[in-house]
Amino acid sequence: MTPASGHTASHTYRTMREFVQSMDDTLPGKFEITKEGIVHDMLSPTGPHELTALRIRKRLEKAMPEELVAHTGTPDVEDLPQGIMRHPDVMVIAEADMEIQGAFDPRTVIAAIEVVSRSHPDNDWVGKMRDYPLLGVPVYAIFDPRTGSGAVMTDIHPTPEGARYATRKDFVYGEPVTVSAWTIPTDDLPRYA
């Protein structure tokens, strides 16, 4: 059901946000808020997931200027008017844009990178592919250890369903991949067993 007014949507979002905050230290996994509601990935990331994020972060930071970071920690990326709160596995952001209290402004994120979860792949391939352009994140890269492949989405454009990425470039592990302005190798990225 679509909220009838911005006030209702805002109240609904605030209620979901309060719930997520109350559950953060209580339940395992990661909580995010989408247009459809709360997403809870109950399983903690596995070794291949975390190692992939680490290798991507290190490779990007070697290629990027010093004032940018490939950040893998908290906080979330949040847009209150959109009612969306996401937590990228890796995000490219200027270090200066991290000097804030609370969630990061999604308009300061240069690229969001996700490593597909074994337990909830649609969150990365469907939900985040919908939400990141709505948040204004110009580049969204997906690395999928299930298949040893991925895709980089760019060129946000308006559609009847809202902002979407117009360009998708697929890759397989072993090929170099360009995330925003930086090309990194994808060899030696782990796969799920």
Side-chain angles (χ1 to χ4, degrees), residues 126-146:
V126 178
K128 291 181 182 182
M129 194 172 309
R130 175 198 61 237
D131 289 349
Y132 284 137
L134 290 173
L135 293 172
V137 176
V139 177
Y140 174 41
I142 304 174
F143 290 78
D144 195 337
R146 299 171 312 145

CSV table of all heavy atoms in Angstrom, one decimal, residues 126-146:
chain,number,residue,atom,x,y,z
A,126,VAL,N,18.4,-6.8,-7.1
A,126,VAL,CA,17.1,-6.2,-7.4
A,126,VAL,C,16.9,-4.9,-6.5
A,126,VAL,O,16.8,-3.8,-7.0
A,126,VAL,CB,16.0,-7.2,-7.2
A,126,VAL,CG1,14.6,-6.5,-7.4
A,126,VAL,CG2,16.1,-8.4,-8.1
A,127,GLY,N,16.9,-5.1,-5.2
A,127,GLY,CA,16.6,-4.0,-4.3
A,127,GLY,C,17.6,-2.9,-4.4
A,127,GLY,O,17.2,-1.7,-4.5
A,128,LYS,N,18.9,-3.2,-4.3
A,128,LYS,CA,19.9,-2.1,-4.3
A,128,LYS,C,20.0,-1.5,-5.7
A,128,LYS,O,20.3,-0.3,-5.9
A,128,LYS,CB,21.2,-2.6,-3.8
A,128,LYS,CG,21.1,-2.8,-2.3
A,128,LYS,CD,22.3,-3.3,-1.6
A,128,LYS,CE,22.1,-3.6,-0.2
A,128,LYS,NZ,23.3,-4.0,0.5
A,129,MET,N,19.8,-2.3,-6.8
A,129,MET,CA,19.8,-1.8,-8.1
A,129,MET,C,18.7,-0.8,-8.3
A,129,MET,O,18.8,0.2,-9.1
A,129,MET,CB,19.7,-2.9,-9.2
A,129,MET,CG,20.1,-2.4,-10.5
A,129,MET,SD,20.3,-3.6,-11.8
A,129,MET,CE,21.3,-4.9,-11.2
A,130,ARG,N,17.6,-0.9,-7.6
A,130,ARG,CA,16.5,0.0,-7.6
A,130,ARG,C,16.8,1.2,-6.7
A,130,ARG,O,16.6,2.4,-7.1
A,130,ARG,CB,15.2,-0.6,-7.1
A,130,ARG,CG,14.0,0.3,-7.0
A,130,ARG,CD,12.9,-0.3,-6.1
A,130,ARG,NE,13.4,-0.5,-4.8
A,130,ARG,CZ,13.4,-1.7,-4.2
A,130,ARG,NH1,12.9,-2.8,-4.8
A,130,ARG,NH2,13.9,-1.9,-2.9
A,131,ASP,N,17.4,1.0,-5.5
A,131,ASP,CA,17.5,2.0,-4.5
A,131,ASP,C,18.7,3.0,-4.7
A,131,ASP,O,18.5,4.2,-4.5
A,131,ASP,CB,17.6,1.5,-3.1
A,131,ASP,CG,16.3,0.8,-2.6
A,131,ASP,OD1,15.3,1.1,-3.2
A,131,ASP,OD2,16.3,0.1,-1.6
A,132,TYR,N,19.8,2.5,-5.2
A,132,TYR,CA,21.0,3.4,-5.3
A,132,TYR,C,20.8,4.5,-6.3
A,132,TYR,O,21.1,5.6,-6.0
A,132,TYR,CB,22.2,2.6,-5.6
A,132,TYR,CG,22.8,1.9,-4.4
A,132,TYR,CD1,23.3,0.6,-4.4
A,132,TYR,CD2,22.9,2.5,-3.1
A,132,TYR,CE1,23.8,-0.1,-3.3
A,132,TYR,CE2,23.4,1.9,-2.0
A,132,TYR,CZ,23.8,0.6,-2.1
A,132,TYR,OH,24.3,0.0,-1.0
A,133,PRO,N,20.1,4.3,-7.5
A,133,PRO,CA,19.9,5.4,-8.3
A,133,PRO,C,18.8,6.4,-7.7
A,133,PRO,O,19.0,7.6,-7.9
A,133,PRO,CB,19.4,4.8,-9.7
A,133,PRO,CG,18.9,3.4,-9.3
A,133,PRO,CD,19.7,3.0,-8.1
A,134,LEU,N,17.9,5.9,-7.0
A,134,LEU,CA,16.9,6.8,-6.3
A,134,LEU,C,17.7,7.6,-5.3
A,134,LEU,O,17.3,8.8,-5.1
A,134,LEU,CB,15.9,5.9,-5.5
A,134,LEU,CG,14.8,5.2,-6.4
A,134,LEU,CD1,14.0,4.3,-5.5
A,134,LEU,CD2,14.0,6.2,-7.2
A,135,LEU,N,18.7,7.1,-4.7
A,135,LEU,CA,19.5,7.9,-3.7
A,135,LEU,C,20.5,8.8,-4.4
A,135,LEU,O,21.1,9.7,-3.8
A,135,LEU,CB,20.3,6.9,-2.8
A,135,LEU,CG,19.5,6.1,-1.9
A,135,LEU,CD1,20.4,5.1,-1.2
A,135,LEU,CD2,18.8,7.0,-0.9
A,136,GLY,N,20.7,8.7,-5.7
A,136,GLY,CA,21.6,9.5,-6.5
A,136,GLY,C,23.0,9.0,-6.5
A,136,GLY,O,24.0,9.8,-6.8
A,137,VAL,N,23.3,7.8,-6.1
A,137,VAL,CA,24.6,7.2,-6.2
A,137,VAL,C,25.0,7.0,-7.6
A,137,VAL,O,24.3,6.1,-8.3
A,137,VAL,CB,24.7,5.9,-5.3
A,137,VAL,CG1,26.1,5.3,-5.5
A,137,VAL,CG2,24.4,6.2,-3.9
A,138,PRO,N,26.0,7.7,-8.2
A,138,PRO,CA,26.2,7.6,-9.6
A,138,PRO,C,26.8,6.3,-10.2
A,138,PRO,O,26.6,6.0,-11.4
A,138,PRO,CB,27.2,8.7,-9.9
A,138,PRO,CG,27.9,9.0,-8.6
A,138,PRO,CD,26.9,8.6,-7.5
A,139,VAL,N,27.4,5.5,-9.3
A,139,VAL,CA,28.0,4.2,-9.8
A,139,VAL,C,27.6,3.1,-8.8
A,139,VAL,O,27.8,3.3,-7.6
A,139,VAL,CB,29.5,4.3,-10.0
A,139,VAL,CG1,30.1,2.9,-10.4
A,139,VAL,CG2,29.9,5.4,-11.0
A,140,TYR,N,27.1,2.0,-9.3
A,140,TYR,CA,26.8,0.9,-8.4
A,140,TYR,C,27.5,-0.4,-9.1
A,140,TYR,O,27.2,-0.7,-10.2
A,140,TYR,CB,25.3,0.7,-8.3
A,140,TYR,CG,24.9,-0.6,-7.6
A,140,TYR,CD1,25.6,-1.0,-6.4
A,140,TYR,CD2,23.9,-1.4,-8.0
A,140,TYR,CE1,25.2,-2.1,-5.7
A,140,TYR,CE2,23.5,-2.5,-7.3
A,140,TYR,CZ,24.1,-2.9,-6.2
A,140,TYR,OH,23.8,-4.0,-5.5
A,141,ALA,N,28.4,-1.0,-8.3
A,141,ALA,CA,29.1,-2.2,-8.8
A,141,ALA,C,28.8,-3.4,-7.9
A,141,ALA,O,28.7,-3.3,-6.7
A,141,ALA,CB,30.6,-1.9,-8.7
A,142,ILE,N,28.5,-4.5,-8.6
A,142,ILE,CA,28.1,-5.7,-7.9
A,142,ILE,C,29.2,-6.8,-8.2
A,142,ILE,O,29.5,-7.0,-9.4
A,142,ILE,CB,26.7,-6.2,-8.4
A,142,ILE,CG1,25.7,-5.2,-8.2
A,142,ILE,CG2,26.4,-7.5,-7.7
A,142,ILE,CD1,24.3,-5.5,-8.8
A,143,PHE,N,29.7,-7.4,-7.2
A,143,PHE,CA,30.6,-8.5,-7.3
A,143,PHE,C,29.9,-9.8,-6.8
A,143,PHE,O,29.4,-9.7,-5.6
A,143,PHE,CB,31.9,-8.3,-6.6
A,143,PHE,CG,32.7,-7.2,-7.2
A,143,PHE,CD1,32.4,-5.9,-7.0
A,143,PHE,CD2,33.9,-7.5,-7.9
A,143,PHE,CE1,33.2,-4.9,-7.5
A,143,PHE,CE2,34.7,-6.5,-8.5
A,143,PHE,CZ,34.3,-5.2,-8.3
A,144,ASP,N,29.8,-10.8,-7.6
A,144,ASP,CA,29.0,-12.0,-7.2
A,144,ASP,C,29.8,-13.2,-7.0
A,144,ASP,O,30.2,-13.9,-8.0
A,144,ASP,CB,27.9,-12.2,-8.2
A,144,ASP,CG,26.8,-13.2,-7.7
A,144,ASP,OD1,27.1,-14.0,-6.8
A,144,ASP,OD2,25.7,-13.1,-8.2
A,145,PRO,N,30.2,-13.6,-5.8
A,145,PRO,CA,31.1,-14.8,-5.5
A,145,PRO,C,30.3,-16.1,-5.9
A,145,PRO,O,31.0,-17.1,-5.9
A,145,PRO,CB,31.4,-14.7,-4.1
A,145,PRO,CG,31.2,-13.3,-3.7
A,145,PRO,CD,30.1,-12.8,-4.5
A,146,ARG,N,29.0,-16.1,-6.1
A,146,ARG,CA,28.3,-17.3,-6.4
A,146,ARG,C,28.7,-17.7,-7.9
A,146,ARG,O,28.8,-18.9,-8.2
A,146,ARG,CB,26.8,-17.1,-6.4
A,146,ARG,CG,26.3,-16.7,-5.0
A,146,ARG,CD,24.8,-16.3,-5.0
A,146,ARG,NE,24.6,-15.4,-6.1
A,146,ARG,CZ,23.5,-15.3,-6.8
A,146,ARG,NH1,22.5,-16.1,-6.6
A,146,ARG,NH2,23.4,-14.4,-7.7
